Amino acid sequence: MNIEHQQLSGDIWLPDIRHTPSPNQNERPVGQQISLLVIHNISLPPGIFGGDAVEAFFQNRLDPTAHPFFTRIADLRVSSHLYIRRDGTAQQFVALNKRAWHAGRSCFAGQPDCNDYAIGIELEGTDDVPFAPAQYTCLIRLTRQIQTLFPLITPECIVGHSDIAPGRKTDPGPQFVWDAFLAALDHTHAD
């Protein structure tokens, strides 16, 4: 499958989604192959969907006076490569070949520092609210594009944040339907 992607100065930006670059990114270690996809959830304020707080957070523009919770996180510097809203629209904050700051202290298959070799996708949501069908549709499409660009990301290398930071993180949470997502992903791969 040949997909179009936009390369600017060697950076990989997926087509047909909004590009909103985050300053919270840097170079991956030299020679590091991208081999992991991490699924997260986020909502700001917690449990509230819509608005631009997540975008502002990833771009260091979050107003700490806008909500009491924001005072706790306004100084954090985090990002994700991609963010999928409840309506299935997606934004890209970091070029796929760059290192986004989404995983924190993490380890996969004995290899620490997952940010070095992972791509992060944030779903607008919480651990205890089902994700919207449109989010799965978008996630499947983006995952297939990512797998085409980075074939080391096999189904076994698609994990939740909770899998790489157990005891510290719980997302995407029990409402994320892994079986259906992976089955749909496998089905699209067969087409």
Side-chain angles (χ1 to χ4, degrees):
M1 177 166 122
N2 183 20
I3 69 159
E4 300 281 329
H5 64 277
Q6 185 177 14
Q7 284 195 285
L8 304 171
S9 304
D11 289 343
I12 300 172
W13 295 87
L14 295 177
D16 303 322
I17 61 175
R18 194 167 144 226
H19 300 158
T20 48
S22 170
N24 304 328
Q25 53 88 24
N26 59 355
E27 298 294 329
R28 294 181 189 270
V30 175
Q32 180 67 65
Q33 293 194 24
I34 298 169
S35 58
L36 185 67
L37 179 64
V38 181
I39 310 296
H40 305 259
N41 77 46
I42 189 170
S43 59
L44 292 175
I48 304 297
F49 305 143
D52 68 351
V54 171
E55 179 178 327
F57 183 48
F58 288 166
Q59 294 182 318
N60 303 336
R61 300 183 293 103
L62 190 63
D63 178 1
T65 66
H67 187 276
F69 180 77
F70 294 172
T71 60
R72 295 175 34 197
I73 64 169
D75 292 332
L76 296 178
R77 298 294 174 248
V78 298
S79 62
S80 185
H81 292 91
L82 298 153
Y83 172 54
I84 303 173
R85 294 177 180 271
R86 304 293 293 179
D87 66 2
T89 59
Q91 288 175 258
Q92 185 171 352
F93 289 92
V94 177
L96 297 182
N97 55 297
K98 296 291 176 92
R99 185 180 183 273
W101 304 346
H102 60 98
R105 291 183 322 278
S106 54
C107 184
F108 177 72
Q111 186 177 2
D113 303 320
C114 294
N115 283 338
D116 290 349
Y117 55 93
I119 290 172
I121 299 179
E122 293 274 4
L123 298 173
E124 184 177 32
T126 67
D127 286 5
D128 51 5
V129 174
F131 294 94
Q135 289 181 289
Y136 286 104
T137 300
C138 182
L139 179 62
I140 291 162
R141 178 176 58 84
L142 295 179
T143 301
R144 291 303 309 135
Q145 291 176 346
I146 290 165
Q147 288 182 303
T148 298
L149 292 166
F150 305 103
L152 293 178
I153 300 177
T154 61
E156 298 76 26
C157 296
I158 301 172
V159 299
H161 200 183
S162 58
D163 297 314
I164 61 168
R168 187 174 71 81
K169 294 294 180 176
T170 58
D171 56 315
Q175 294 295 324
F176 187 79
V177 186
W178 281 103
D179 290 345
F181 166 62
L182 292 172
L185 198 59
D186 184 55
H187 175 71
T188 60
H189 182 62
D191 289 345

